[in-house]
Amino acid sequence: MPDASPETVEQLPTPSELSEVKGWFFPVDQVLFDWFLTRQTDRDEPGDLLEVGAYMGKSAIFTGSYRREGETFTVCDLFDSPGEDDANAAEMQRSYSTLTQRTFEANYLSFHDELPVVLQGLSSMVPDHVKAGSCRFVHVDASHLYEHVHGDIQDARELLLPHGIVALDDFRAEHCPGVAAATWEAVTSGGLHAICITGTKFYGTWGDPTAVREELLAFLAGREDIWHEVQSVAGAPLIRTSGKKAVAPAQPRSRHTKKTPAVPAQPSAAAPVRPAAQAPKAAPAPRRRSPLRRLAVNVLPPFITKAARRLMK
Ligand SMILES: C[S@@+](CC[C@H](N)C(=O)[O-])C[C@H]1O[C@@H](n2cnc3c(N)ncnc32)[C@H](O)[C@@H]1O
């Protein structure tokens, strides 16, 4: 038995729903991940899944629900190992000092039977472990420094199949101009076609964007909870969305959940994920009147009852 006093026993998380997992993965992006990944399933588009920058697993848990039989889901994160350079180490210390791989794994296993392939280390190690031209979806959400993100985007290009989709996080956040620089550089001189943007993520492809853009526009036209418009950027249409009121799709189910959720957790081609059903509002409990109040209402003239009601409030 391990020699561990109560103070040294690590409390691993047991989230009962995805919202309890710390991280940054907002409903509008969940809707878009769901839409892109389900579309790939509907079209039988093959390929593996990759996430670079997993933190405590919020987006990885969600993405892992779309892994089909025979596919590999790989995640890469530094977790508690040091960054490559001083700037990356400072970024890690400032933003993610409580992160551990064990926490990620405990979170992930609360929702899935198996872990993804977990690579602990710098994102630059990914091409040594994931085959070129093998992925259908790559989520880049690791370092915010230009040099790293630029490399991550170049790797994504190599790893994705022609129908593959890349999602780039924090491409327009105030605190990380390096991500913006790397993202738009990939669009203006790296062959990346922008499809759409949310408040936090950019979605694009190095394949032909025409059909996917048109289908996404048709989908968004039917979503009253997500505002959108089309702008022309660098000579191509770009769908801009705003999803502050977006209704998240069905969430992966945790083994720690006590109640049965209304919607099945595992999305599939046969049963694509739809926005989670809103729980019906409970009917208000009937008001109970005291016996004295009931007697007063029944036997006294209305003007006296009114005065009595005011006194009994
Ligand atoms: C913004 S968080 C990821 C958020 C996560 N996708 C979610 O949904 O909550 C960024 C993660 O990238 C990792 N990271 C930072 N620099 C990295 C690098 N150079 N290589 C690999 N991972 C890195 C950090 O450890 C951190 O967990």
Side-chain angles (χ1 to χ4, degrees):
M1 244 177 104
D3 176 22
S5 68
E7 290 75 30
T8 59
V9 172
E10 192 182 347
Q11 283 294 314
L12 290 173
T14 56
S16 62
E17 46 191 79
L18 191 64
S19 61
E20 288 174 19
V21 178
K22 278 198 213 158
W24 301 267
F25 189 43
F26 301 108
V28 65
D29 291 300
Q30 295 183 19
V31 170
L32 288 170
F33 272 48
D34 171 50
W35 187 82
F36 282 114
L37 288 160
T38 304
R39 179 178 182 271
Q40 292 180 333
T41 294
D42 291 347
R43 294 161 62 96
D44 274 338
E45 290 178 346
D48 294 330
L49 311 172
L50 169 67
E51 178 167 281
V52 186
Y55 190 53
M56 305 227 174
K58 200 176 188 86
S59 51
I61 290 164
F62 188 90
T63 307
S65 301
Y66 297 80
R67 187 183 71 82
R68 297 169 299 198
E69 191 71 23
E71 291 179 354
T72 304
F73 179 31
T74 305
V75 303
C76 173
D77 200 293
L78 281 168
F79 294 113
D80 21 6
S81 58
E84 181 183 43
D85 44 48
D86 289 351
N88 199 191
E91 186 188 16
M92 292 299 298
Q93 187 53 36
R94 194 172 50 241
S95 306
Y96 318 115
S97 57
T98 56
L99 177 62
T100 71
Q101 186 169 345
R102 277 165 63 82
T103 305
F104 166 82
E105 292 181 354
N107 277 335
Y108 197 91
L109 290 174
S110 297
F111 295 85
H112 296 286
D113 293 338
E114 287 169 37
L115 286 173
V117 174
V118 180
L119 307 175
Q120 177 175 25
L122 288 164
S123 55
S124 53
M125 77 192 292
V126 169
D128 297 336
H129 299 266
V130 178
K131 264 203 297 187
S134 67
C135 294
R136 62 183 168 103
F137 194 86
V138 174
H139 180 204
V140 176
D141 191 6
S143 171
H144 289 132
L145 306 170
Y146 170 81
E147 287 71 17
H148 295 263
V149 184
H150 175 72
D152 293 344
I153 293 175
Q154 282 190 322
D155 291 343
R157 183 180 192 170
E158 292 305 310
L159 301 175
L160 279 167
L161 287 149
H163 55 260
I165 299 291
V166 66
L168 304 173
D169 187 72
D170 265 343
F171 77 102
R172 66 182 201 180
E174 198 180 355
H175 64 289
C176 35
V179 186
T183 302
W184 292 116
E185 179 188 32
V187 172
T188 54
S189 56
L192 177 59
H193 302 290
I195 299 172
C196 83
I197 56 170
T198 65
T200 46
K201 295 193 200 285
F202 168 106
Y203 298 81
T205 181
W206 279 277
D208 183 350
T210 319
V212 66
R213 257 192 216 128
E214 273 170 21
E215 287 172 37
L216 181 57
L217 271 176
F219 166 73
L220 290 171
R223 293 284 304 217
E224 286 179 5
D225 56 334
I226 302 175
W227 173 91
H228 74 281
E229 67 166 7
V230 180
Q231 289 195 12
S232 177
V233 175
L238 169 69
I239 305 169
R240 185 167 86 87
T241 66
S242 171
K244 291 197 182 94
K245 296 182 189 148
V247 179
Q251 305 285 292
R253 186 179 176 180
S254 165
R255 67 181 78 253
H256 308 296
T257 303
K258 278 148 209 107
K259 282 180 251 147
T260 315
V263 185
Q266 289 289 332
S268 69
V273 176
R274 298 282 173 252
Q278 298 286 315
K281 277 193 184 152
R287 274 175 65 196
R288 290 198 171 276
R289 289 202 168 109
S290 74
L292 184 63
R293 199 175 169 126
R294 272 206 308 273
L295 181 74
V297 168
N298 291 339
V299 301
L300 295 175
F303 72 94
I304 301 184
T305 318
K306 260 191 191 164
R309 267 204 197 114
R310 271 202 299 275
L311 284 175
M312 282 188 266
K313 263 184 187 167

